[in-house]
Each structure stands twice: as structure tokens, then as C-alpha cells.
């Protein structure tokens, strides 16, 4: 269980890094690809359906009025990813504590 949660956390951290880099670079194509394919895939695996729907809607509810509107949607998606990261970190800590408690001396 903890390996799965840790894998989700590492995958999300990689994804966030890619999103931040593409955002700073102004690479709209990369942002669209990451938002639709990678964020949606990660969110589905992690059981974050609202996040998956948000990433899908960002692409399906297009065309956007302008570049700024698309970037605002990307920024909102990144904010949601950061919130999901906090939830995954909590799950990782809980799984680690559970693993430690089950392997501590004196437990059955």
C-alpha cells in the first residue's frame, strides 16, 4: 500500500515540475498536453475524479477566448494539483506510520 501511495506522490511531483516549467516557458502546447493527458491520467489513478474532470474540461471547453483565459485555467489546475499533493503527502505519512507501527518490536 505505501509503495503505491509513494509512487503516486513521486508521479505528482514530477508532473508538477513539468507543469511549472512549461508554464514559465509559455509552452502552451506542452501545457495542453500535460493538462489533458498526464494530469487526467494521474488523477484517475489517484482517485481524484474532480481533478480529472477539471483537466478534461480545460481542453474540451475550448476554444478559449484568448491566451490569458487558457493560462488562468492552467493556473487553477496547478493550484488543484498542489492541493492534491497535500492530500497525497498526508496519505504517504499515514501509510509510513502504519508500516512502522506494524514492524515495531513488541507488536504481533
Amino acid at each position: 500500500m505505501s509503495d503505491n501511495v509513494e509512487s503516486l506522490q513521486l508521479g505528482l511531483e514530477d508532473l508538477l515540475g513539468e507543469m511549472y516549467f512549461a508554464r514559465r516557458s509559455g509552452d502552451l502546447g506542452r501545457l495542453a498536453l500535460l493538462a489533458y493527458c498526464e494530469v487526467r491520467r494521474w488523477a484517475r489513478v489517484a482517485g481524484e475524479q474532480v481533478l480529472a474532470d477539471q483537466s478534461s474540461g480545460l481542453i474540451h471547453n475550448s476554444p478559449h477566448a484568448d491566451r490569458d483565459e487558457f493560462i488562468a485555467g492552467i493556473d487553477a489546475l496547478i493550484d488543484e494539483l498542489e492541493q492534491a499533493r497535500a492530500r497525497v503527502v498526508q496519505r504517504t505519512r499515514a501509510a509510513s506510520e502504519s508500516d512502522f507501527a506494524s514492524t515495531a518490536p513488541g507488536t504481533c
Side-chain angles (χ1 to χ4, degrees), residues 3-106:
D3 289 341
N4 187 32
V5 176
E6 288 175 18
S7 177
L8 284 174
Q9 181 181 357
L10 293 174
L12 179 54
E13 289 174 0
D14 288 345
L15 181 54
L16 275 167
E18 289 186 52
M19 294 285 292
Y20 281 126
F21 181 77
R23 173 68 174 86
R24 279 192 308 271
S25 307
D27 189 344
L28 299 182
R30 182 76 178 148
L31 286 169
L33 176 73
L34 289 168
Y36 185 69
C37 296
E38 299 300 321
V39 171
R40 193 169 57 114
R41 181 197 59 77
W42 181 90
R44 286 181 174 170
V45 168
E48 298 273 349
Q49 190 58 44
V50 172
L51 184 58
D53 292 343
Q54 182 181 357
S55 70
S56 183
L58 185 64
I59 303 304
H60 286 287
N61 298 338
S62 58
H64 297 279
D66 57 17
R67 181 182 194 277
D68 292 335
E69 181 184 310
F70 177 71
I71 292 295
I74 290 292
D75 289 342
L77 185 63
I78 289 172
D79 288 343
E80 283 297 319
L81 283 168
E82 286 290 353
Q83 291 175 19
R85 180 175 175 236
R87 291 188 295 271
V88 170
V89 166
Q90 286 176 343
R91 284 189 280 187
T92 302
R93 286 185 183 143
S96 294
E97 289 170 3
S98 173
D99 287 347
F100 178 74
S102 66
T103 58

